[in-house]
Amino acid sequence: MKNTFVTKEKIEEIAKEFPTPFHIYDEKGIRENARRLYKAFSWNKGFREYFAVKATPNPYILKVLQEEGCGVDCSSLTELMMSEACDFKGTDIMFSSNDTPPADFIKAKNLGAIINLDDFTHIEYLEKLCGLPKRICCRFNPGGHFEIETQIMDNPGEAKYGFTKEQLFEGFKILKAKGVEEFGIHAFLASNTTTNAYYPKLARILFQLAVDLKNETGADIKFINLSGGVGIAYEPDKPQNDIEVIGEGVKRAFEEILVPAGMGDVAIFTELGRYMLAPYGHLVTKCIHQKHTYKEYIGVDACACNLMRPAIYGSYHHITVLGKENEPCDHKYDVTGSLCENNDKFAVDRMLPEINIGDYLVIHDAGAHGFSMGYNYNGKLRSAELLLCEDGSVKQIRRAETPQDYFATFDFTGIFDNYDYNV
Ligand SMILES: *Cc1c(COP(=O)(O)O)cnc(C)c1O
């Protein structure tokens, strides 16, 4: 069972001011979840969550997380700029990029961010470009398959990220010789995991690696970044991760591997995105058409441009028809958007209560990798983002795009200068 954090009455009231579709985020839920994470890792003195900005790049969301003690994990120039504008400073910022353009490295270096190198060749690239910082992190890729109890979780050997093990040892030696004083290691080996075993297993690999790196290179390892990948169950009948159990599992590995090696002061970092935000965002949309052909279609006013995960990954996103939470799910529908693409379906053959034109639908778990993956295909405009504040008020935290925004990059042509935008 997945519950909404807004009622039908609340959405009707909000929609008077902000027409659908829109994304709405639950400040209370975001804060409580961030506090659970910090509590689960409170055994580690230097623990810090660096929120993966790409999941929900909105300054108001970043500010909420900042107030809960989080830093930010950026991977591009504009994410760095947004973080700077939100007053994240220096080591509040992890810069975990790949195939990094020069301007991005320069900005990260100027901000004093912790640069996480994705590749061996980036050592020389960064040095020539703007010099090496005193503190640096390197991303590890062990290759092969990543397994938990013989179950294949993901395929790092096919992933473009990170140093091989040999490159990592060599890289640490070179960096040390070039004057780098403080080191971190990072790895992201499986995405959207729904087992409490992922972080503890990853931690064991990285902790042992840290001990070996220290012994062989003498590097002073200050932190280990477990990155993202702790996921959420999108389906209502699947169990959610238990962050307390995950924190305990990492603690056990820490006490078994790092503490005996005299590395008990190493800080644990995370770079969670999905886990921090996904459940606390709804995409709210309205039924505007019903179509009866070979199947029963519900046409809504949102489309894959607002949330593309179902279209590109075939992802399940739970849907609640507001006001009909307790009615039987005895109608089978495809819930579609208006793109000229047949994969523009939020649900296929979904059993839902009978839907009428004008009904509001909540598409769940859209708070991460939702709005941010949006695009403008078919000339569709990005929606507004709203924040349901802790006091129950609603704040617009990004306005909806207008046609003027869509045409703004033609501003040098004069074509739209005197265009009448009234419909
Ligand atoms: C995407 C990403 C994350 C966040 O991943 P989630 O699955 O949202 O937790 C963290 N770190 C890096 C480097 C990423 O690319």
Side-chain angles (χ1 to χ4, degrees):
M1 178 79 182
K2 277 194 191 272
N3 297 316
T4 59
F5 55 77
V6 280
T7 59
K8 174 173 180 252
E9 291 66 34
K10 185 80 182 172
I11 288 298
E12 282 171 344
E13 181 196 321
I14 295 169
K16 283 184 200 147
E17 194 176 352
F18 306 107
T20 54
F22 53 75
H23 284 265
I24 185 165
Y25 304 97
D26 174 21
E27 181 184 0
K28 186 161 178 280
I30 295 168
R31 287 187 188 278
E32 287 173 357
N33 185 59
R35 286 171 201 172
R36 278 194 296 273
L37 173 70
Y38 269 89
K39 187 161 170 280
F41 283 89
S42 57
W43 54 267
N44 183 261
K45 214 166 128 258
F47 175 77
R48 193 154 196 210
E49 151 70 4
Y50 290 83
F51 175 64
V53 174
K54 73 166 192 265
T56 322
N58 186 300
Y60 293 86
I61 299 292
L62 298 188
K63 278 291 183 192
V64 168
L65 291 168
Q66 188 178 48
E67 286 169 16
E68 297 302 329
C70 300
V72 278
D73 161 40
C74 300
S75 56
S76 69
L77 178 61
T78 49
E79 289 178 2
L80 286 167
M81 288 172 161
M82 186 184 286
S83 301
E84 181 184 26
C86 290
D87 244 358
F88 290 92
K89 295 195 191 309
T91 54
D92 295 338
I93 306 170
M94 280 290 308
F95 184 56
S96 294
S97 62
N98 69 93
D99 186 22
T100 314
D104 301 32
F105 266 142
I106 291 169
K107 185 71 182 169
K109 176 91 188 311
N110 288 342
L111 288 174
I114 306 173
I115 295 177
N116 182 20
L117 295 176
D118 179 66
D119 186 42
F120 183 77
T121 64
H122 291 186
I123 297 172
E124 193 183 335
Y125 187 87
L126 181 65
E127 186 185 27
K128 289 207 170 121
L129 190 66
C130 53
L132 294 170
K134 289 284 169 220
R135 162 184 279 231
I136 212 154
C137 183
C138 293
R139 183 167 181 167
F140 173 53
N141 183 336
H145 289 112
F146 182 74
E147 294 179 9
I148 294 178
E149 283 157 11
T150 73
Q151 200 195 335
I152 294 178
M153 304 289 298
D154 221 317
N155 197 354
E158 288 294 325
K160 64 174 177 170
Y161 310 107
F163 292 53
T164 67
K165 193 164 185 177
E166 294 70 29
Q167 289 173 338
L168 199 59
F169 279 79
E170 186 62 17
F172 266 46
K173 287 178 194 161
I174 292 170
L175 287 163
K176 202 154 174 287
K178 288 181 183 296
V180 172
E181 291 165 5
E182 298 180 352
F183 289 81
I185 51 177
H186 169 285
F188 189 161
L189 302 186
S191 193
N192 193 30
T193 59
T194 49
T195 158
N196 295 328
Y198 170 63
Y199 257 6
K201 173 82 196 268
L202 173 68
R204 273 177 200 280
I205 294 170
L206 292 181
F207 293 170
Q208 191 55 54
L209 180 68
V211 172
D212 295 346
L213 277 164
K214 184 189 168 203
N215 289 341
E216 190 167 325
T217 71
D220 183 9
I221 295 169
K222 293 288 190 198
F223 64 88
I224 290 169
N225 187 335
L226 301 176
S227 191
V230 174
I232 62 150
Y234 286 89
E235 298 84 357
D237 50 351
K238 297 244 174 84
Q240 297 290 343
N241 283 323
D242 184 336
I243 200 67
E244 214 171 300
V245 173
I246 292 172
E248 272 303 309
V250 175
K251 182 182 181 202
R252 215 168 306 127
F254 191 91
E255 286 172 350
E256 283 173 29
I257 302 169
L258 287 181
V259 172
M263 297 173 75
D265 57 352
V266 167
I268 303 298
F269 294 167
T270 56
E271 276 176 352
L272 297 168
R274 192 187 313 272
Y275 183 79
M276 302 305 287
L277 250 300
Y280 313 107
H282 293 336
L283 172 57
V284 181
T285 185
K286 190 161 74 174
C287 171
I288 57 171
H289 294 289
Q290 288 179 323
K291 178 164 176 163
H292 320 283
T293 53
Y294 307 103
K295 300 185 84 172
E296 290 296 304
Y297 293 101
I298 294 298
V300 296
D301 58 5
C303 68
C305 293
N306 305 110
L307 177 70
M308 74 190 294
R309 297 185 73 260
I312 58 169
Y313 308 126
S315 314
Y316 181 95
H317 277 263
H318 196 63
I319 294 176
T320 297
V321 184
L322 287 177
K324 298 184 175 175
E325 288 82 351
N326 299 316
E327 291 187 16
C329 293
D330 53 3
H331 285 62
K332 190 193 271 188
Y333 294 119
D334 281 16
V335 178
T336 80
S338 58
L339 294 187
C340 304
E341 275 287 345
N342 196 43
N343 66 0
D344 184 17
K345 294 181 176 179
F346 292 112
V348 175
D349 295 334
R350 183 76 57 90
M351 295 307 295
L352 290 165
E354 181 171 20
I355 296 173
N356 299 114
I357 289 176
D359 280 351
Y360 289 107
L361 278 60
V362 161
I363 302 177
H364 288 255
D365 300 316
H369 312 295
F371 179 96
S372 61
M373 287 176 104
Y375 58 117
N376 284 116
Y377 192 56
N378 264 180
K380 294 293 173 181
L381 304 174
R382 289 183 176 79
S383 78
E385 291 181 292
L386 310 176
L387 183 66
L388 176 63
C389 301
E390 274 194 300
D391 64 6
S393 64
V394 172
K395 182 156 78 184
Q396 178 170 245
I397 58 173
R398 186 194 305 260
R399 67 162 172 79
E401 273 181 350
T402 64
Q404 286 91 326
D405 294 319
Y406 184 73
F407 298 126
T409 44
F410 299 114
D411 55 357
F412 65 97
T413 66
I415 292 171
F416 292 94
D417 281 4
N418 300 309
Y419 185 76
D420 179 2
Y421 284 95
N422 292 307
V423 287

